[in-house]
Amino acid sequence: MVSASVRWLHVVAGIAWIGSSFYFIHLDLSLRPNPALPNGVKGEAWQVHGGGFYHMVKYLVAPAKMPDHLTWFKWEAYATWLSGFSLLVIVYYMNADMYLIDKQVLDMTAPVGAAVAFFSLLAAWLVYEGLCRSPIGKNELALSLIGYVFLVALTYAFTHVFSGRGAFTQIGALIGTIMVANVFVVIMPYQRKTVAALIAGEKPDPAWGGYGKQRSIHNNYLTLPVVFLMISNHYPFFFATKYNWVIVAIVLIVGPLIRHFYNARHEGKESPWWTWFVVVFAMMVVAWLSSTGPKGQTGALPATPTFAQVNEIVMSRCSMCHASEPVWAGMAAAPKGIRLDDPETIKLHAKVIAINAALSSAMPPGNVTAMTMDERQVLAAWFEAGAPAK
Ligand code: HEC
Protein backbone atom coordinates (compact mmCIF):
# COMPACT_ATOMS: atom_id res chain seq x y z
CA MET A 1 0.00 0.00 0.00
CA VAL A 2 2.78 2.45 0.91
CA SER A 3 4.71 1.48 -2.20
CA ALA A 4 1.59 1.86 -4.39
CA SER A 5 0.86 5.36 -3.01
CA VAL A 6 4.46 6.53 -3.37
CA ARG A 7 4.57 5.14 -6.91
CA TRP A 8 1.35 7.00 -7.75
CA LEU A 9 2.82 10.23 -6.40
CA HIS A 10 6.07 9.63 -8.26
CA VAL A 11 4.36 9.12 -11.60
CA VAL A 12 2.10 12.17 -11.14
CA ALA A 13 4.98 14.41 -10.03
CA GLY A 14 7.05 13.14 -12.95
CA ILE A 15 4.27 13.93 -15.41
CA ALA A 16 3.95 17.45 -13.95
CA TRP A 17 7.69 18.02 -14.12
CA ILE A 18 8.23 16.63 -17.61
CA GLY A 19 5.06 18.34 -18.82
CA SER A 20 6.09 21.76 -17.59
CA SER A 21 9.68 21.42 -18.79
CA PHE A 22 8.64 20.24 -22.26
CA TYR A 23 6.17 23.12 -22.33
CA PHE A 24 8.79 25.74 -21.48
CA ILE A 25 11.33 24.35 -23.94
CA HIS A 26 8.68 24.50 -26.63
CA LEU A 27 7.69 28.03 -25.61
CA ASP A 28 11.28 29.23 -25.55
CA LEU A 29 12.00 27.82 -29.00
CA SER A 30 8.80 29.13 -30.54
CA LEU A 31 9.31 32.79 -29.50
CA ARG A 32 9.27 35.11 -32.52
CA PRO A 33 10.77 38.61 -32.49
CA ASN A 34 8.50 41.62 -32.89
CA PRO A 35 9.89 45.18 -33.11
CA ALA A 36 6.84 46.49 -31.27
CA LEU A 37 7.86 44.65 -28.10
CA PRO A 38 9.61 46.58 -25.29
CA ASN A 39 13.39 46.60 -24.91
CA GLY A 40 15.00 43.51 -23.39
CA VAL A 41 12.29 41.20 -24.73
CA LYS A 42 13.47 38.23 -26.77
CA GLY A 43 10.21 37.53 -28.50
CA GLU A 44 6.58 36.59 -28.20
CA ALA A 45 4.38 33.57 -28.81
CA TRP A 46 0.65 33.23 -29.28
CA GLN A 47 -1.04 30.11 -28.07
CA VAL A 48 -4.58 28.82 -27.82
CA HIS A 49 -5.69 26.38 -25.16
CA GLY A 50 -8.86 25.53 -23.27
CA GLY A 51 -11.00 28.10 -25.04
CA GLY A 52 -8.71 31.13 -24.56
CA PHE A 53 -5.76 32.84 -26.21
CA TYR A 54 -2.43 33.34 -24.45
CA HIS A 55 0.11 35.95 -25.33
CA MET A 56 3.50 34.94 -23.94
CA VAL A 57 6.46 37.29 -23.85
CA LYS A 58 9.99 36.40 -22.70
CA TYR A 59 12.12 38.99 -20.90
CA LEU A 60 15.77 38.11 -21.39
CA VAL A 61 17.03 39.05 -17.96
CA ALA A 62 14.01 40.49 -16.19
CA PRO A 63 11.28 43.07 -16.68
CA ALA A 64 11.99 46.69 -15.73
CA LYS A 65 9.70 46.38 -12.74
CA MET A 66 9.36 43.16 -10.76
CA PRO A 67 5.83 41.77 -10.89
CA ASP A 68 3.97 41.38 -7.59
CA HIS A 69 3.27 37.76 -8.17
CA LEU A 70 5.77 35.33 -9.65
CA THR A 71 5.21 31.59 -10.18
CA TRP A 72 8.29 29.42 -9.67
CA PHE A 73 8.58 25.93 -11.09
CA LYS A 74 10.55 23.72 -8.78
CA TRP A 75 8.30 21.50 -6.70
CA GLU A 76 7.49 19.31 -9.70
CA ALA A 77 11.19 18.39 -9.84
CA TYR A 78 11.72 18.09 -6.09
CA ALA A 79 8.57 16.00 -5.58
CA THR A 80 9.64 13.67 -8.40
CA TRP A 81 13.00 13.09 -6.76
CA LEU A 82 11.70 12.79 -3.19
CA SER A 83 9.03 10.27 -4.17
CA GLY A 84 11.40 8.46 -6.54
CA PHE A 85 14.09 8.16 -3.92
CA SER A 86 11.55 6.89 -1.36
CA LEU A 87 10.44 4.28 -3.86
CA LEU A 88 14.05 3.32 -4.49
CA VAL A 89 14.51 2.75 -0.77
CA ILE A 90 11.23 0.86 -0.32
CA VAL A 91 11.57 -1.41 -3.35
CA TYR A 92 15.30 -1.74 -4.04
CA TYR A 93 17.22 -0.96 -0.87
CA MET A 94 14.84 -2.70 1.53
CA ASN A 95 14.51 -5.73 -0.77
CA ALA A 96 18.03 -5.61 -2.12
CA ASP A 97 18.39 -9.40 -2.11
CA MET A 98 15.59 -9.76 -4.61
CA TYR A 99 15.69 -6.61 -6.72
CA LEU A 100 19.10 -4.97 -6.45
CA ILE A 101 21.79 -7.60 -6.18
CA ASP A 102 22.45 -10.94 -7.78
CA LYS A 103 25.00 -13.02 -5.92
CA GLN A 104 26.05 -14.75 -9.15
CA VAL A 105 26.97 -11.35 -10.60
CA LEU A 106 28.74 -10.09 -7.49
CA ASP A 107 28.51 -11.65 -4.09
CA MET A 108 27.59 -8.97 -1.57
CA THR A 109 25.15 -8.58 1.28
CA ALA A 110 21.97 -6.52 0.95
CA PRO A 111 23.19 -3.59 3.10
CA VAL A 112 26.47 -3.41 1.17
CA GLY A 113 24.53 -3.45 -2.12
CA ALA A 114 22.26 -0.62 -0.98
CA ALA A 115 25.24 1.41 0.24
CA VAL A 116 27.13 0.93 -3.03
CA ALA A 117 24.03 2.00 -4.95
CA PHE A 118 23.46 5.09 -2.84
CA PHE A 119 27.05 6.33 -2.80
CA SER A 120 27.49 5.75 -6.51
CA LEU A 121 24.49 8.06 -7.11
CA LEU A 122 26.27 10.73 -5.12
CA ALA A 123 29.69 10.13 -6.68
CA ALA A 124 28.35 10.17 -10.25
CA TRP A 125 26.58 13.45 -9.62
CA LEU A 126 29.79 14.98 -8.26
CA VAL A 127 31.69 13.86 -11.38
CA TYR A 128 29.02 15.37 -13.63
CA GLU A 129 28.99 18.62 -11.67
CA GLY A 130 32.79 18.75 -11.87
CA LEU A 131 32.72 18.18 -15.64
CA CYS A 132 30.18 20.97 -16.18
CA ARG A 133 32.21 23.43 -14.11
CA SER A 134 35.56 22.46 -15.69
CA PRO A 135 36.79 23.99 -18.98
CA ILE A 136 35.15 21.02 -20.76
CA GLY A 137 31.80 22.42 -19.62
CA LYS A 138 32.31 25.39 -21.97
CA ASN A 139 32.32 23.10 -24.99
CA GLU A 140 28.88 21.54 -25.44
CA LEU A 141 30.03 18.91 -27.96
CA ALA A 142 32.94 17.71 -25.81
CA LEU A 143 30.74 17.70 -22.73
CA SER A 144 28.00 15.65 -24.46
CA LEU A 145 30.49 13.10 -25.78
CA ILE A 146 32.28 12.70 -22.46
CA GLY A 147 28.94 12.64 -20.64
CA TYR A 148 27.70 9.89 -22.97
CA VAL A 149 30.80 7.73 -22.52
CA PHE A 150 30.59 8.29 -18.76
CA LEU A 151 26.96 7.10 -18.59
CA VAL A 152 27.61 4.06 -20.80
CA ALA A 153 30.67 3.12 -18.73
CA LEU A 154 28.60 3.41 -15.56
CA THR A 155 25.86 1.24 -17.06
CA TYR A 156 28.42 -1.40 -18.02
CA ALA A 157 29.87 -1.28 -14.51
CA PHE A 158 26.44 -1.50 -12.83
CA THR A 159 25.47 -4.55 -14.90
CA HIS A 160 28.60 -6.19 -13.45
CA VAL A 161 27.80 -5.20 -9.88
CA PHE A 162 24.00 -5.48 -9.58
CA SER A 163 21.28 -7.65 -11.09
CA GLY A 164 20.12 -6.51 -14.55
CA ARG A 165 17.00 -5.02 -13.06
CA GLY A 166 18.95 -3.33 -10.26
CA ALA A 167 21.44 -1.91 -12.78
CA PHE A 168 18.71 -0.41 -15.00
CA THR A 169 16.94 1.23 -12.08
CA GLN A 170 20.25 2.45 -10.70
CA ILE A 171 21.30 4.19 -13.91
CA GLY A 172 17.78 5.67 -14.30
CA ALA A 173 17.83 6.96 -10.72
CA LEU A 174 21.32 8.32 -11.26
CA ILE A 175 20.37 10.34 -14.34
CA GLY A 176 17.18 11.50 -12.60
CA THR A 177 19.23 12.63 -9.60
CA ILE A 178 21.55 14.63 -11.87
CA MET A 179 18.51 16.29 -13.45
CA VAL A 180 16.92 17.28 -10.15
CA ALA A 181 20.28 18.44 -8.80
CA ASN A 182 20.53 20.68 -11.87
CA VAL A 183 17.32 22.36 -10.75
CA PHE A 184 18.28 22.50 -7.07
CA VAL A 185 21.96 23.43 -7.27
CA VAL A 186 22.20 25.52 -10.44
CA ILE A 187 18.94 26.63 -12.04
CA MET A 188 17.10 27.78 -8.90
CA PRO A 189 20.04 29.49 -7.10
CA TYR A 190 20.87 31.60 -10.17
CA GLN A 191 17.22 32.48 -10.63
CA ARG A 192 17.07 33.56 -6.98
CA LYS A 193 20.25 35.62 -7.39
CA THR A 194 18.76 37.35 -10.42
CA VAL A 195 15.55 38.21 -8.59
CA ALA A 196 17.44 39.37 -5.49
CA ALA A 197 19.68 41.63 -7.61
CA LEU A 198 16.66 43.18 -9.30
CA ILE A 199 14.90 43.81 -6.01
CA ALA A 200 18.08 45.46 -4.71
CA GLY A 201 18.07 47.67 -7.79
CA GLU A 202 21.26 46.11 -9.20
CA LYS A 203 21.87 44.75 -12.65
CA PRO A 204 21.98 40.93 -12.63
CA ASP A 205 24.80 39.23 -14.52
CA PRO A 206 23.36 37.87 -17.81
CA ALA A 207 25.78 34.90 -17.53
CA TRP A 208 23.67 33.56 -14.65
CA GLY A 209 20.82 32.77 -17.01
CA GLY A 210 23.33 30.95 -19.26
CA TYR A 211 24.35 28.54 -16.51
CA GLY A 212 20.74 27.61 -15.87
CA LYS A 213 20.03 27.30 -19.57
CA GLN A 214 22.88 24.80 -20.09
CA ARG A 215 21.53 22.51 -17.36
CA SER A 216 18.00 22.90 -18.60
CA ILE A 217 19.12 21.68 -22.05
CA HIS A 218 20.86 18.67 -20.46
CA ASN A 219 17.63 17.85 -18.64
CA ASN A 220 15.67 18.14 -21.85
CA TYR A 221 17.84 15.57 -23.63
CA LEU A 222 18.02 13.21 -20.66
CA THR A 223 14.26 13.03 -20.04
CA LEU A 224 13.33 10.30 -22.52
CA PRO A 225 16.11 7.86 -21.58
CA VAL A 226 15.14 8.21 -17.90
CA VAL A 227 11.49 7.40 -18.63
CA PHE A 228 12.60 4.35 -20.65
CA LEU A 229 14.83 3.15 -17.80
CA MET A 230 12.04 3.65 -15.26
CA ILE A 231 9.56 1.47 -17.16
CA SER A 232 12.16 -1.03 -18.39
CA ASN A 233 11.99 -3.07 -15.18
CA HIS A 234 8.70 -4.49 -16.45
CA TYR A 235 10.42 -5.86 -19.57
CA PRO A 236 12.70 -8.86 -18.86
CA PHE A 237 14.05 -8.85 -22.43
CA PHE A 238 15.62 -5.43 -21.85
CA PHE A 239 17.23 -5.82 -18.45
CA ALA A 240 17.79 -9.58 -18.12
CA THR A 241 19.46 -10.48 -21.42
CA LYS A 242 23.06 -10.63 -22.64
CA TYR A 243 23.42 -7.17 -24.13
CA ASN A 244 21.41 -5.23 -21.57
CA TRP A 245 24.05 -2.50 -21.23
CA VAL A 246 24.25 -2.06 -25.03
CA ILE A 247 20.48 -1.54 -25.05
CA VAL A 248 20.90 1.31 -22.56
CA ALA A 249 23.75 2.75 -24.66
CA ILE A 250 21.42 2.81 -27.69
CA VAL A 251 18.51 4.33 -25.78
CA LEU A 252 20.85 7.07 -24.53
CA ILE A 253 21.16 8.08 -28.20
CA VAL A 254 17.58 7.44 -29.28
CA GLY A 255 15.99 9.60 -26.54
CA PRO A 256 18.03 12.74 -27.32
CA LEU A 257 17.47 12.21 -31.07
CA ILE A 258 13.71 12.28 -30.58
CA ARG A 259 14.06 15.46 -28.53
CA HIS A 260 16.26 16.92 -31.27
CA PHE A 261 13.47 16.35 -33.79
CA TYR A 262 10.93 18.23 -31.69
CA ASN A 263 13.33 20.98 -30.65
CA ALA A 264 14.18 21.74 -34.29
CA ARG A 265 10.52 21.64 -35.25
CA HIS A 266 9.41 23.93 -32.44
CA GLU A 267 12.13 26.37 -33.34
CA GLY A 268 10.53 26.66 -36.76
CA LYS A 269 13.47 25.00 -38.51
CA GLU A 270 13.00 22.36 -41.14
CA SER A 271 11.96 19.15 -39.32
CA PRO A 272 14.90 16.70 -39.27
CA TRP A 273 12.90 13.70 -40.44
CA TRP A 274 16.09 11.64 -40.78
CA THR A 275 16.05 11.27 -37.00
CA TRP A 276 13.06 8.93 -37.21
CA PHE A 277 14.87 6.59 -39.60
CA VAL A 278 17.74 6.36 -37.16
CA VAL A 279 15.32 5.91 -34.22
CA VAL A 280 13.37 3.10 -35.91
CA PHE A 281 16.57 1.36 -37.04
CA ALA A 282 18.10 1.70 -33.55
CA MET A 283 14.97 0.27 -31.90
CA MET A 284 15.08 -2.67 -34.31
CA VAL A 285 18.63 -3.30 -33.16
CA VAL A 286 17.36 -3.11 -29.55
CA ALA A 287 14.65 -5.66 -30.39
CA TRP A 288 17.24 -7.99 -31.89
CA LEU A 289 19.67 -7.57 -28.99
CA SER A 290 16.88 -8.30 -26.52
CA SER A 291 16.16 -11.62 -28.25
CA THR A 292 19.65 -13.06 -27.77
CA GLY A 293 18.90 -14.84 -24.50
CA PRO A 294 20.15 -14.55 -20.95
CA LYS A 295 23.73 -13.71 -19.99
CA GLY A 296 26.03 -16.69 -19.82
CA GLN A 297 24.00 -18.77 -22.23
CA THR A 298 26.14 -20.60 -24.78
CA GLY A 299 25.72 -23.49 -27.15
CA ALA A 300 22.66 -25.15 -28.66
CA LEU A 301 19.55 -26.15 -26.74
CA PRO A 302 19.46 -29.68 -25.33
CA ALA A 303 17.12 -32.33 -26.74
CA THR A 304 13.44 -31.78 -25.91
CA PRO A 305 13.05 -32.64 -22.23
CA THR A 306 10.17 -34.55 -20.70
CA PHE A 307 7.57 -32.64 -18.75
CA ALA A 308 8.75 -34.35 -15.58
CA GLN A 309 12.13 -32.61 -15.94
CA VAL A 310 10.47 -29.22 -16.45
CA ASN A 311 8.16 -29.82 -13.54
CA GLU A 312 11.06 -30.63 -11.28
CA ILE A 313 12.99 -27.49 -12.24
CA VAL A 314 10.02 -25.16 -11.73
CA MET A 315 9.02 -26.85 -8.48
CA SER A 316 12.53 -26.50 -7.09
CA ARG A 317 13.32 -22.99 -8.34
CA CYS A 318 10.01 -21.13 -8.50
CA SER A 319 7.31 -22.66 -6.35
CA MET A 320 8.63 -21.42 -2.98
CA CYS A 321 7.31 -18.01 -4.06
CA HIS A 322 4.79 -18.79 -6.79
CA ALA A 323 2.40 -20.87 -4.66
CA SER A 324 -0.96 -20.19 -3.06
CA GLU A 325 0.87 -20.22 0.26
CA PRO A 326 4.46 -19.26 -0.50
CA VAL A 327 7.10 -20.57 1.86
CA TRP A 328 9.44 -17.68 1.01
CA ALA A 329 9.85 -15.49 4.10
CA GLY A 330 7.73 -12.34 4.00
CA MET A 331 5.73 -13.35 0.93
CA ALA A 332 1.97 -13.42 1.56
CA ALA A 333 0.62 -14.59 -1.80
CA ALA A 334 1.84 -15.79 -5.19
CA PRO A 335 3.58 -12.77 -6.81
CA LYS A 336 1.43 -11.21 -9.54
CA GLY A 337 -1.09 -13.96 -8.88
CA ILE A 338 1.06 -16.41 -10.81
CA ARG A 339 1.05 -19.87 -9.21
CA LEU A 340 3.61 -22.39 -10.43
CA ASP A 341 3.09 -25.15 -7.89
CA ASP A 342 1.54 -28.05 -9.79
CA PRO A 343 1.71 -29.49 -13.35
CA GLU A 344 -1.48 -27.70 -14.41
CA THR A 345 -0.35 -24.19 -13.45
CA ILE A 346 3.09 -24.82 -14.97
CA LYS A 347 1.61 -25.86 -18.31
CA LEU A 348 -0.78 -22.93 -18.22
CA HIS A 349 2.08 -20.46 -17.77
CA ALA A 350 4.53 -22.01 -20.25
CA LYS A 351 4.99 -18.79 -22.15
CA VAL A 352 5.61 -16.46 -19.19
CA ILE A 353 7.90 -19.05 -17.65
CA ALA A 354 9.93 -19.04 -20.86
CA ILE A 355 9.99 -15.24 -21.09
CA ASN A 356 11.09 -14.74 -17.49
CA ALA A 357 13.35 -17.72 -16.85
CA ALA A 358 14.57 -19.21 -20.16
CA LEU A 359 14.75 -16.46 -22.82
CA SER A 360 15.80 -13.98 -20.14
CA SER A 361 17.03 -14.36 -16.56
CA ALA A 362 14.50 -12.02 -14.91
CA MET A 363 13.26 -14.82 -12.64
CA PRO A 364 14.01 -15.93 -10.00
CA PRO A 365 14.58 -12.33 -8.89
CA GLY A 366 18.29 -11.79 -8.13
CA ASN A 367 18.52 -15.52 -8.93
CA VAL A 368 17.87 -16.12 -5.24
CA THR A 369 17.18 -19.81 -5.78
CA ALA A 370 20.42 -20.22 -7.78
CA MET A 371 18.90 -21.50 -10.99
CA THR A 372 21.60 -22.82 -13.34
CA MET A 373 22.05 -22.01 -17.02
CA ASP A 374 21.52 -25.67 -17.87
CA GLU A 375 18.10 -25.52 -16.23
CA ARG A 376 17.20 -22.41 -18.20
CA GLN A 377 18.28 -24.22 -21.38
CA VAL A 378 16.01 -27.14 -20.52
CA LEU A 379 13.04 -24.77 -20.08
CA ALA A 380 13.93 -23.04 -23.37
CA ALA A 381 14.07 -26.38 -25.23
CA TRP A 382 10.72 -27.36 -23.76
CA PHE A 383 9.14 -24.08 -24.81
CA GLU A 384 10.68 -24.25 -28.32
CA ALA A 385 9.16 -27.71 -28.77
CA GLY A 386 5.70 -26.27 -28.03
CA ALA A 387 5.67 -26.98 -24.29
CA PRO A 388 4.71 -30.69 -24.49
CA ALA A 389 2.58 -31.92 -21.59
CA LYS A 390 4.36 -35.28 -21.27
C1 HEC B 1 11.98 -15.29 -4.31
C2 HEC B 1 10.68 -15.40 -4.81
C3 HEC B 1 10.49 -15.73 -6.28
C4 HEC B 1 10.97 -16.83 -6.95
C5 HEC B 1 11.83 -17.95 -6.42
C6 HEC B 1 10.46 -16.74 -8.29
N1 HEC B 1 9.71 -15.58 -8.43
FE1 HEC B 1 8.68 -15.00 -10.07
N2 HEC B 1 8.12 -13.30 -9.13
C7 HEC B 1 8.47 -12.95 -7.85
C8 HEC B 1 8.05 -11.60 -7.59
C9 HEC B 1 8.26 -10.84 -6.31
C10 HEC B 1 7.43 -11.15 -8.77
C11 HEC B 1 6.82 -9.76 -9.02
C12 HEC B 1 7.92 -8.96 -9.65
C13 HEC B 1 7.62 -7.49 -9.74
O1 HEC B 1 7.05 -6.91 -8.83
O2 HEC B 1 8.04 -6.93 -10.76
C14 HEC B 1 7.46 -12.25 -9.70
C15 HEC B 1 6.90 -12.20 -10.96
C16 HEC B 1 6.91 -13.27 -11.83
C17 HEC B 1 6.21 -13.30 -13.09
C18 HEC B 1 5.32 -12.20 -13.64
C19 HEC B 1 6.17 -11.26 -14.42
C20 HEC B 1 5.33 -10.14 -15.00
O3 HEC B 1 5.38 -9.98 -16.21
O4 HEC B 1 4.68 -9.43 -14.25
C21 HEC B 1 6.47 -14.51 -13.67
C22 HEC B 1 5.95 -15.02 -14.99
C23 HEC B 1 7.36 -15.22 -12.79
N3 HEC B 1 7.60 -14.45 -11.68
C24 HEC B 1 7.88 -16.47 -13.03
C25 HEC B 1 8.81 -17.11 -12.23
C26 HEC B 1 9.50 -18.34 -12.58
C27 HEC B 1 9.32 -19.09 -13.88
C28 HEC B 1 10.30 -18.64 -11.54
C29 HEC B 1 11.25 -19.82 -11.42
C30 HEC B 1 12.24 -19.93 -12.45
C31 HEC B 1 10.12 -17.62 -10.54
N4 HEC B 1 9.22 -16.70 -11.00
C32 HEC B 1 10.73 -17.63 -9.30
C33 HEC B 1 9.11 -13.75 -6.92
C34 HEC B 1 9.71 -14.97 -7.23
Side-chain angles (χ1 to χ4, degrees):
M1 197 51 220
V2 175
S3 124
S5 313
V6 177
R7 190 178 299 251
W8 188 18
L9 173 63
H10 182 54
V11 171
V12 172
I15 291 172
W17 182 23
I18 297 171
S20 61
S21 57
F22 278 11
Y23 172 77
F24 279 105
I25 292 271
H26 173 283
L27 176 62
D28 206 50
L29 294 172
S30 65
L31 293 170
R32 299 289 174 264
N34 178 352
L37 293 169
N39 253 351
V41 167
K42 186 183 172 198
E44 63 177 357
W46 282 92
Q47 302 179 341
V48 57
H49 188 83
F53 290 86
Y54 295 79
H55 183 202
M56 319 293 283
V57 178
K58 179 177 180 178
Y59 290 81
L60 268 184
V61 178
K65 178 184 171 301
M66 279 303 289
D68 298 333
H69 178 74
L70 196 53
T71 307
W72 295 74
F73 289 85
K74 56 182 181 192
W75 278 106
E76 294 85 349
Y78 300 165
T80 305
W81 191 83
L82 290 171
S83 55
F85 186 71
S86 310
L87 206 52
L88 196 63
V89 172
I90 296 170
V91 178
Y92 286 86
Y93 295 179
M94 287 165 65
N95 295 295
D97 275 327
M98 257 209 271
Y99 293 131
L100 183 63
I101 61 182
D102 178 337
K103 287 197 160 52
Q104 274 93 37
V105 173
L106 192 66
D107 193 355
M108 53 184 164
T109 63
V112 169
V116 170
F118 176 74
F119 286 107
S120 59
L121 280 189
L122 203 67
W125 168 67
L126 287 173
V127 170
Y128 164 83
E129 197 58 42
L131 277 175
C132 289
R133 288 171 193 249
S134 75
I136 298 167
K138 305 245 172 343
N139 180 340
E140 272 306 307
L141 183 67
L143 185 63
S144 325
L145 289 176
I146 293 176
Y148 176 76
V149 172
F150 176 58
L151 289 177
V152 173
L154 278 178
T155 307
Y156 181 82
F158 289 146
T159 54
H160 291 78
V161 172
F162 302 122
S163 68
R165 182 171 165 171
F168 270 48
T169 303
Q170 174 71 8
I171 192 79
L174 190 152
I175 301 176
T177 299
I178 287 177
M179 291 170 65
V180 177
N182 278 340
V183 176
F184 189 64
V185 180
V186 177
I187 301 175
M188 290 309 298
Y190 281 114
Q191 254 169 36
R192 274 194 213 100
K193 269 174 96 158
T194 304
V195 171
L198 287 165
I199 290 174
E202 292 157 12
K203 204 169 147 29
D205 185 345
W208 295 347
Y211 301 137
K213 185 80 200 157
Q214 179 192 39
R215 303 307 179 92
S216 153
I217 290 171
H218 293 178
N219 283 5
N220 183 243
Y221 285 114
L222 290 172
T223 305
L224 296 185
V226 171
V227 175
F228 174 91
L229 289 163
M230 291 299 158
I231 57 178
S232 67
N233 61 43
H234 301 287
Y235 298 93
F237 286 167
F238 289 152
F239 67 80
T241 46
K242 262 182 219 143
Y243 301 108
N244 52 4
W245 67 275
V246 185
I247 293 176
V248 175
I250 294 176
V251 170
L252 283 170
I253 294 175
V254 167
L257 266 184
I258 298 175
R259 286 311 302 160
H260 172 66
F261 173 83
Y262 285 104
N263 290 345
R265 201 176 164 82
H266 296 158
E267 209 174 342
K269 291 186 184 157
E270 200 178 324
S271 302
W273 290 106
W274 61 268
T275 51
W276 288 108
F277 289 99
V278 181
V279 166
V280 169
F281 175 74
M283 291 315 281
M284 279 159 55
V285 175
V286 166
W288 174 74
L289 289 172
S290 69
S291 69
T292 54
K295 259 197 186 88
Q297 177 207 47
T298 46
L301 293 182
T304 305
T306 61
F307 181 74
Q309 278 173 280
V310 170
N311 191 53
E312 199 196 315
I313 293 173
V314 175
M315 290 303 282
S316 62
R317 305 292 186 198
C318 320
S319 69
M320 53 287 280
C321 296
H322 290 279
S324 44
E325 282 172 22
V327 295
W328 194 264
M331 196 161 285
K336 303 262 160 157
I338 295 180
R339 269 180 48 213
L340 303 170
D341 54 353
D342 60 35
E344 289 321 306
T345 52
I346 293 172
K347 285 173 198 160
L348 186 67
H349 290 116
K351 189 170 174 188
V352 287
I353 293 175
I355 291 175
N356 285 276
L359 309 176
S360 83
S361 54
M363 283 289 141
N367 203 8
V368 284
T369 52
M371 189 168 189
T372 65
M373 193 46 68
D374 285 346
E375 289 170 334
R376 295 193 194 278
Q377 294 279 76
V378 169
L379 294 185
W382 174 64
F383 181 69
E384 284 284 298
K390 289 219 175 355

